[in-house]
Amino acid sequence: MVEAFNRVWADARLNVPFYREWQRVYCLPDAISSLDELTAWPILRKADLRNLELFRRVGGPRPCGEIMTGGSTGEPVHLPVWHRQGMKEADRSIWEGRKAYGVRKGDRLFLLWGHQHLYGKGARRLVLSTIRRVKDFFRNYVRVSAYDLSAEAMRGAMRVFERSGATWVMGFSPAVLAFVRHNPEKRGTFTGIKLVLCTAGPLIADEQREIATF
């Protein structure tokens, strides 16, 4: 993994203007000797991705299309795609990272999530919601909406979680925090959870410890 990172990093800082400037501003090394060193690197934030021209490879081809983030924060980002094969490579990289925590494809996932804002209304909403439930079934996901963070909703989410048999958790950072804070009596009662993966916003150190302790 270290060698793979160094290859990609060398290419990025030489051929992508954003990373060339990133290295200069943050005095980043040309290579790393351990993945642990990355904990001291700056965090790439959504705001950094707004100027996609800086991410365009020098002399490289034009994108063949684009994808859009889910917009859970209300500010979706349009990201260029140069070749479809890259999407498969990205998926493999994601699962390599999860494997480091013992998570495998097919492991039962408790998901505090939601893209209901993309479903529309009426018949279209019904169709898309049904497709989502079917996909979740085959992927072994147990999904609870992350849009209602009230105490009542999060206590209901806890009941679903306890029945789910999930071995890892993924959710929007505010939703995971609400889940923890509205179920204090459950603190420390769970074992066998391999990973809690928080997205859509960073957590400060105290919040990370709060979730880990729970």
Side-chain angles (χ1 to χ4, degrees):
M1 290 294 287
V2 171
E3 291 180 3
F5 176 86
N6 284 334
R7 285 196 303 272
V8 173
W9 174 236
D11 178 77
R13 61 187 172 79
L14 290 174
N15 297 300
V16 181
F18 176 86
Y19 290 109
R20 189 182 307 137
E21 181 66 6
W22 230 36
Q23 183 183 37
R24 185 190 67 80
V25 170
Y26 292 103
C27 301
L28 300 176
D30 289 346
I32 62 172
S33 56
S34 167
L35 293 180
D36 292 337
E37 297 173 28
L38 296 179
T39 59
W41 283 41
I43 297 173
L44 182 67
R45 302 180 186 276
K46 182 180 285 188
D48 298 321
L49 301 175
R50 294 297 177 189
N51 188 356
L52 290 178
E53 282 301 316
L54 292 177
F55 288 87
R56 192 179 302 283
R57 188 179 184 83
V58 175
R62 304 291 296 181
C64 65
E66 66 176 29
I67 57 174
M68 184 179 71
T69 63
S72 57
T73 61
E75 298 180 346
V77 174
H78 294 262
L79 302 172
V81 175
W82 282 270
H83 53 96
R84 299 299 174 186
Q85 183 63 28
M87 301 298 292
K88 297 179 181 179
E89 294 170 358
D91 184 65
R92 283 196 296 268
S93 295
I94 286 171
W95 282 102
E96 281 297 317
R98 293 171 182 174
K99 278 170 59 179
Y101 296 92
V103 175
R104 299 291 188 273
K105 281 189 176 182
D107 283 358
R108 188 75 156 166
L109 168 64
F110 180 73
L111 191 60
L112 277 165
W113 209 259
H115 287 321
Q116 289 93 328
H117 62 293
L118 301 177
Y119 292 170
K121 298 179 180 179
R124 182 175 185 272
R125 185 179 185 86
L126 178 61
V127 170
L128 291 178
S129 297
T130 301
I131 291 172
R132 181 74 275 163
R133 287 194 295 271
V134 171
K135 287 183 176 180
D136 285 350
F137 175 80
F138 284 105
R139 291 174 177 173
N140 209 15
Y141 293 176
V142 177
R143 183 184 301 260
V144 173
S145 174
Y147 290 140
D148 184 353
L149 304 184
S150 66
E152 181 181 4
M154 290 297 98
R155 285 194 288 269
M158 173 58 71
R159 291 191 289 273
V160 175
F161 177 63
E162 290 181 307
R163 295 193 302 268
S164 70
T167 59
W168 67 297
V169 175
M170 182 163 65
F172 300 152
S173 297
V176 176
L177 281 171
F179 180 74
V180 166
R181 290 171 178 174
H182 287 311
N183 293 284
E185 72 282 359
K186 300 294 184 177
R187 182 171 182 248
T189 61
F190 298 102
T191 59
I193 300 300
K194 301 174 182 178
L195 172 67
V196 178
L197 182 59
C198 297
T199 74
L203 296 166
I204 63 174
D206 285 348
E207 291 170 337
Q208 293 177 29
R209 282 192 292 270
E210 183 179 0
I211 293 169
T213 300
F214 182 87

